[in-house]
Amino acid sequence: MLAARARKGLLVVGVFTALLWVIHVANVLTGTRLIGALGIDPLELDGLDGIVFAPLLHAGVGHLLSNTLPLLVLGFLTFLEGTGRFAVAVAASWLGSGIGVWIFGGGLTIGASGVVFGLFAYLIVRGFYNRSLRQILLAVVLFLMYGSILWGVLPTAGSNVSWQAHLFGALGGVLAALILRRRSVPGRTDRRRQSSGR
């Protein structure tokens, strides 16, 4: 079961990441016109479609490379919980980042880093909501690997990096972990005790 899910996760996340590269090539071939047309333009009605499309666009190879490996790793680890949970985590990160940028952003914004921050935040906090030692241990490992990216949620003077995308993407990931937290079923413990006593 887990092996099959892992194979499917590799396929889904791999195809999505490959799609980002295909879109980047198409954007370059069109003279980067897609960025102006589909980026998030804060507080502009014309920029609302960017909430959906901006994470698919990147300013250059370096920008896309910086998101590729984290998307593969974090996306795969999230997918191991199942397609539904993966979809909720990605959607919350994607929309949280996009809506936050549209309301509070400082300029035209593109890139999947908001989704990266959202998946990272989701994987970091879900273990505490679920009270899962295994998930908490994974969170510790991920924090040691990628924890430094959390500085990206803070404003940086003179930087053209959208800290708003990072911050609201991360908040979307936390929201997804809250929505998807595992709830205990009333009476389940009692039934188990009764069964073991027979």
Side-chain angles (χ1 to χ4, degrees):
M1 181 69 175
L2 182 60
R5 190 179 292 171
R7 287 194 296 271
K8 186 177 180 181
L10 282 174
L11 177 63
V12 169
V13 177
V15 167
F16 174 71
T17 306
L19 177 64
L20 294 182
W21 282 93
V22 171
I23 291 172
H24 180 66
V25 171
N27 183 47
V28 170
L29 292 177
T30 59
T32 67
R33 292 177 184 172
L34 294 179
I35 292 176
L38 300 175
I40 301 174
D41 200 359
L43 298 178
E44 297 290 340
L45 290 179
D46 289 344
L48 276 172
D49 56 357
I51 293 172
V52 175
F53 296 111
L56 303 174
L57 299 166
H58 291 81
V61 171
H63 186 201
L64 182 50
L65 276 174
S66 69
N67 285 328
T68 295
L69 183 58
L71 274 176
L72 287 170
V73 173
L74 301 174
F76 172 74
L77 291 173
T78 303
F79 199 97
L80 289 179
E81 283 195 304
T83 307
R85 288 175 174 270
F86 172 79
V88 171
V90 170
S93 305
W94 195 301
L95 294 176
S97 175
I99 293 170
V101 167
W102 189 81
I103 297 173
F104 299 105
L108 189 67
T109 302
I110 56 170
S113 57
V115 178
V116 169
F117 273 74
L119 294 179
F120 178 70
Y122 171 76
L123 291 168
I124 290 294
V125 304
R126 66 174 178 167
F128 298 96
Y129 282 129
N130 295 333
R131 297 180 182 176
S132 167
L133 179 60
R134 179 176 58 84
Q135 291 180 354
I136 291 173
L137 289 175
L138 176 60
V140 171
V141 173
L142 287 175
F143 186 80
L144 291 174
M145 291 174 59
Y146 294 111
S148 61
I149 72 170
L150 291 176
W151 291 110
V153 303
L154 300 175
T156 304
S159 172
N160 63 351
V161 175
S162 175
W163 61 269
Q164 296 95 332
H166 299 168
L167 174 61
F168 288 100
L171 291 176
V174 172
L175 177 62
L178 177 62
I179 293 170
L180 297 173
R181 71 188 185 278
R182 294 179 185 139
R183 297 173 178 85
S184 59
V185 179
R188 178 176 292 176
T189 303
D190 294 338
R191 285 197 297 271
R192 286 178 180 170
R193 286 176 181 170
Q194 290 170 5
S195 298
S196 64
R198 291 176 183 170

